[in-house]
Amino acid sequence: MARREEHHADYDPRPVTDSELREEYSREEVERWREEADRKHGEWFTVLNNDYGKD
């Protein structure tokens, strides 16, 4: 429980800068997130454009 409280004490809700993110995450990791987001977005439109039930 102390660890959880410690995490909240260190949490800063202010936005981070691009340079701070570059220090924490690799370019490959960010690119993987983008690709996954694009794929999920495409899946959503597949469902959205489905004619099932549109009689």
Side-chain angles (χ1 to χ4, degrees):
M1 184 84 135
R3 183 174 172 89
R4 185 175 185 186
E5 291 171 3
E6 179 182 310
H7 173 71
H8 287 296
D10 293 338
Y11 178 71
D12 185 358
R14 292 176 293 183
V16 296
T17 64
D18 287 346
S19 62
E20 288 172 321
L21 286 176
R22 284 187 205 105
E23 290 174 10
E24 190 169 344
Y25 302 104
S26 70
R27 181 180 297 264
E28 293 79 16
E29 193 171 13
V30 172
E31 187 60 33
R32 191 169 48 248
W33 293 338
R34 280 193 187 119
E35 290 169 358
E36 182 180 342
D38 286 344
R39 188 174 60 252
K40 299 278 185 187
H41 188 74
E43 291 171 4
W44 169 246
F45 275 100
T46 299
V47 171
L48 186 66
N49 292 328
N50 188 342
D51 289 335
Y52 180 77
K54 295 182 181 177
D55 292 349

